Amino acid sequence: NTNKEDDADADHTNVNANADANDDDDGTSNENKNESYEEYLARYCLLYVRTFFNQHLDDSWFRSLYSPLERHREALKEKKRSIKEAKDLLESTSKSNFVNSIRLSHGTTEVPSGHLLTSVKNNTLVMILDVPPHVTDAQLLYAIGEHCQSVGVLDVFSTEPSLDKNLYRTAWAHFETSSGKDKMLDQLNKATNSGSEVSKKMLELPVDCTDTYGRYEVDVDGRGGGSPDDKPKVRRVTVWVCRSPSPQTVTVLSAAVSSATRIPQDKQASLELAQKHDEQKDIPPEIRLSQILDKLNSDDEQLHLDTAIAYLRRVHLISFYNGCHKTKAKMASVMNNTSPAGTIHVRLKDADDILKKAAKEDESLYQDLDPDIDIIDNDNNNNNNNFSSEQQQQQNNAKDMLVMRLDENIQVARQQQHLSAPSLEEQSITQDISKLEQDCQKTWIEQHAVVDTDGKARCSFHFCRKLFRDKVFLQKHLMKKHPEFLRAEVAKCHDAYMMKSWDAEERRTVPPLLVDCGSKFGLVPAPVTGASRPMITDPEPALWKQRQRQTLQPPTRREHNNTANSNIHNNNEPPTPTPTTNNNNINSHFVDIDDMKDEKVRLSFEGITTIPVEPPKKKRKKKKLL
């Protein structure tokens, strides 16, 4: 590394050749050093990965990624949301403004309400920013619930943490009604601003994150033992709540994609994709897309296409014009606009007229050429005349890159396998974890129950010690008053399976390591990759190769044009005389040290008018009273 740092133009192949030319002792020592350094990197990366796993083991976002049972529960929650969206879309077909709200051909960036999610359309979502990785969704739900009066918050869902933002993420709180959301914001504004009615865009929300599962007491021996002094240290953080809803992104499609000639084939493709994903997610037949189209009772193919696009986005979180294929996107990623379904695409107005006008302009461009210049042979002209207008239109459509990309995405989506369908092995693992949770719950209740000789049962927690008639009432008490300790004990059933999923992943959700690449490049992030043996790749050789490639590359077009323009400008002007050292040019700012002259400076005060200065006034002494 020192050789590469000192000489930027060093030839690495020569360095390796010189190293091979040394004696055998030096070669073996270098090999031992390289092996020991690789072993050190392997141990460091393995320790780094395992430390990250232990640090974020209890975080909600981490468990939803690597616990098979938590992934299954997230899939059930997503299925419930999809069924609710399909029912809402089916009910909205009976409204009078459904056709206008579902149309995508108005050609403006106005948001069509029929394509919005139900929670966005009803304005019942609140965005929460800068959520640390150790803060769970349950803690956010509890913190928001403290500021709710009659109407509570339904759920809190968040995005995956971003590696570029120190694993911070964005969350959303879902309320029952829009009025309940406004009341919560008013209460939070009064609490954080000492009762002032000043409206702000961002509000501070304090969150208690003392323990992941909400434990404020300590269970030392796992049977309720401990002392009043053994308490976890209180920990609080502050997150930001947005008062104004996040804007919905709308994009206008190109004229080729918005053409009316594409509507029949796009309609057929969207219907096939909706049927495929309905069967995969097991949507009830009475609320599927086919039933919605039958309820419309219309033969308008454009209306059917717009309804199918809205159904794919709202029910399955799929964007037809931006990928078409199913991804592992969550509703939070759609709201955060990090998923392809986060953008609503609107067709361009009068797209066919624009295409015809462009075609006429192309024809007139070739007609304006000089007829005396014969560029195309007569044989080719005769062959070109045999083409029909339909074939020429198909050829022009095939040349459009956006149309080609859309067709390729539709073809890939039709051939794509089921992504979210769990395998048989994962289903068996989910059942095993669920059984372990049930056994753990029974064991935990037995360990925290003290049965007296008369059949009465007492709670074994040192801070409770309540007495009940029998064990049945004690079980209800433990499940109602101390569920946080049960959740923490049940969570241990996932640890072994999460570790297997973590070890089997090739690219883990860990921040990259910073590698010191010398004074030329500084600290460069390098990702930790590898399933069985996590390692990092030294980025310095690739950076040197990139530097050498840039020096050998010819100048770009802009640099070439700049040099050419400067040469032309210099050729038109007369040559400027070259300055000499002996010529004392007045306009030159160059000073020769060896040819310096001593100059005497004389001060002259002639012609200077002095301003008369008033003499200072004498201070009067105050008479002292005797």
Side-chain angles (χ1 to χ4, degrees), residues 343-511:
T343 303
I344 297 177
H345 295 82
V346 181
R347 284 190 292 272
L348 184 63
K349 190 176 182 180
D350 300 332
D352 294 331
D353 296 339
I354 295 174
L355 291 176
K356 291 179 181 178
K357 185 177 179 181
K360 290 181 180 179
E361 289 178 355
D362 292 340
E363 291 179 358
S364 62
L365 178 64
Y366 289 105
Q367 289 176 359
D368 292 340
L369 294 176
D370 192 356
D372 296 335
I373 301 175
D374 233 349
I375 300 177
I376 305 174
D377 297 336
N378 292 328
D379 296 335
N380 293 333
N381 287 331
N382 295 330
N383 294 330
N384 291 332
N385 292 330
N386 294 330
F387 285 108
S388 62
S389 60
E390 295 180 358
Q391 292 175 347
Q392 289 179 359
Q393 186 177 3
Q394 292 177 359
Q395 186 177 3
N396 293 332
N397 292 337
K399 291 180 182 179
D400 194 285
M401 296 299 296
L402 296 176
V403 174
M404 292 173 61
R405 188 177 65 178
L406 178 60
D407 294 336
E408 290 175 359
N409 290 334
I410 292 174
Q411 188 65 23
V412 170
R414 288 176 173 176
Q415 299 175 358
Q416 192 177 18
Q417 300 296 327
H418 300 306
L419 285 179
S420 60
S423 60
L424 296 177
E425 182 181 359
E426 189 171 357
Q427 290 178 0
S428 63
I429 291 175
T430 302
Q431 295 175 0
D432 294 342
I433 298 176
S434 180
K435 187 177 180 181
L436 287 175
E437 286 187 349
Q438 296 175 2
D439 297 340
C440 180
Q441 180 177 343
K442 294 179 181 178
T443 306
W444 182 81
I445 292 175
E446 292 290 337
Q447 291 177 352
H448 291 81
V450 180
V451 182
D452 297 339
T453 55
D454 55 354
K456 294 183 179 180
R458 184 181 297 275
C459 180
S460 66
F461 281 103
H462 63 90
F463 52 86
C464 185
R465 309 296 292 176
K466 287 186 178 180
L467 186 64
F468 297 90
R469 180 185 299 176
D470 55 8
K471 202 173 180 180
V472 177
F473 289 96
L474 176 60
Q475 180 179 352
K476 293 180 181 179
H477 166 76
L478 291 173
M479 299 291 291
K480 185 178 180 180
K481 297 297 182 181
H482 312 297
E484 62 273 11
F485 294 93
L486 177 60
R487 289 197 300 267
E489 194 67 27
V490 167
K492 297 178 182 178
C493 302
H494 300 248
D495 295 351
Y497 298 95
M498 290 175 64
M499 192 67 186
K500 290 181 181 178
S501 301
W502 179 256
D503 290 338
E505 190 163 355
E506 188 71 22
R507 290 186 172 272
R508 300 174 179 86
T509 313
V510 293

Side-chain angles (χ1 to χ4, degrees), residues 15 177 188 246 262 340 427 430 469 479 535 543:
V15 173
T177 59
L188 183 60
S246 57
R262 290 196 54 86
Q427 290 178 0
T430 302
R469 180 185 299 176
M479 299 291 291
M535 278 290 291
L543 293 175

Side-chain angles (χ1 to χ4, degrees), residues 176-395:
E176 293 181 3
T177 59
S178 178
S179 60
K181 182 200 75 170
D182 295 336
K183 290 180 181 179
M184 189 278 298
L185 292 175
D186 293 339
Q187 291 293 329
L188 183 60
N189 186 23
K190 293 178 181 179
T192 55
N193 296 294
S194 302
S196 63
E197 299 294 336
V198 180
S199 60
K200 293 185 177 180
K201 294 183 179 180
M202 308 289 289
L203 297 176
E204 294 183 1
L205 176 66
V207 182
D208 188 355
C209 55
T210 302
D211 184 73
T212 305
Y213 303 100
R215 296 171 293 184
Y216 293 95
E217 300 289 342
V218 177
D219 188 4
V220 178
D221 55 357
R223 296 178 179 272
S227 62
D229 298 333
D230 297 333
K231 290 186 177 182
K233 187 178 179 180
V234 178
R235 187 181 181 185
R236 289 180 177 271
V237 296
T238 301
V239 296
W240 297 95
V241 177
C242 293
R243 301 203 64 172
S244 58
S246 57
Q248 180 65 56
T249 306
V250 180
T251 304
V252 181
L253 296 170
S254 64
V257 180
S258 306
S259 177
T261 57
R262 290 196 54 86
I263 289 178
Q265 58 179 357
D266 289 346
K267 171 199 167 185
Q268 186 63 28
S270 61
L271 293 177
E272 291 180 5
L273 291 176
Q275 182 180 1
K276 174 184 175 181
H277 290 288
D278 284 343
E279 295 175 354
Q280 174 187 349
K281 198 174 282 190
D282 196 15
I283 302 295
E286 61 271 11
I287 58 175
R288 291 185 179 181
L289 179 60
S290 57
Q291 298 296 325
I292 296 175
L293 296 180
D294 292 342
K295 192 175 179 180
L296 288 176
N297 194 15
S298 175
D299 296 333
D300 189 357
E301 291 186 343
Q302 186 175 355
L303 179 61
H304 289 185
L305 174 61
D306 295 342
T307 307
I309 292 174
Y311 183 86
L312 286 173
R313 184 181 187 271
R314 294 177 58 178
V315 178
H316 300 292
L317 302 180
I318 297 175
S319 176
F320 182 77
Y321 288 115
N322 193 7
C324 291
H325 53 276
K326 177 69 175 177
T327 59
K328 295 182 180 180
K330 299 180 181 179
M331 184 177 174
S333 59
V334 174
M335 295 299 303
N336 201 27
N337 205 16
T338 57
S339 171
T343 303
I344 297 177
H345 295 82
V346 181
R347 284 190 292 272
L348 184 63
K349 190 176 182 180
D350 300 332
D352 294 331
D353 296 339
I354 295 174
L355 291 176
K356 291 179 181 178
K357 185 177 179 181
K360 290 181 180 179
E361 289 178 355
D362 292 340
E363 291 179 358
S364 62
L365 178 64
Y366 289 105
Q367 289 176 359
D368 292 340
L369 294 176
D370 192 356
D372 296 335
I373 301 175
D374 233 349
I375 300 177
I376 305 174
D377 297 336
N378 292 328
D379 296 335
N380 293 333
N381 287 331
N382 295 330
N383 294 330
N384 291 332
N385 292 330
N386 294 330
F387 285 108
S388 62
S389 60
E390 295 180 358
Q391 292 175 347
Q392 289 179 359
Q393 186 177 3
Q394 292 177 359
Q395 186 177 3

Side-chain angles (χ1 to χ4, degrees), residues 118-138:
T118 305
S119 55
V120 179
K121 184 170 58 177
N122 297 335
N123 194 17
T124 56
L125 290 179
V126 173
M127 185 167 60
I128 307 171
L129 299 176
D130 295 341
V131 180
H134 58 272
V135 176
T136 62
D137 295 343

